[in-house]
Amino acid sequence: MALLPLSALFEGDVLELLIPVDDEDTVEAVGAAIAHHVVGRRVAAQDVPIRLRHNGRVLDPQERIGAAGVAPLDHVEAFYA
């Protein structure tokens, strides 16, 4: 369990975020953490899953973010699937 700060952007948003997560969090939980700061504020809520993209690869929602090859201060993109 280690702090993993990430640079994040939610598709359709205009602000880049710095999101502190735990390297043991699931990709799904990281997507929810990003959405918490954006959805319903600058991006409309949708009733579809939120996915994460890292270096052009869509990550498995159940995978641990630290095991997915995401390193501190890496950029991830959240989007509606």
Side-chain angles (χ1 to χ4, degrees):
M1 297 181 75
L3 180 64
L4 182 63
L6 300 175
S7 165
L9 182 67
F10 199 103
E11 189 172 75
D13 195 8
V14 296
L15 296 178
E16 186 83 18
L17 305 170
L18 179 62
I19 302 290
V21 298
D22 189 288
D23 66 348
E24 291 294 316
D25 288 345
T26 63
V27 168
E28 183 176 40
V30 173
I34 297 166
H36 171 77
H37 297 284
V38 176
V39 173
R41 296 174 185 179
R42 294 180 304 277
V43 174
Q46 295 183 24
D47 192 23
V48 294
I50 295 170
R51 298 291 183 245
L52 280 188
R53 188 179 301 115
H54 176 252
N55 291 335
R57 181 175 67 96
V58 177
L59 303 178
D60 177 355
Q62 299 309 313
E63 190 172 14
R64 303 288 174 199
I65 193 74
V70 181
L73 297 178
D74 275 4
H75 179 77
V76 294
E77 301 164 356
F79 63 95
Y80 287 118

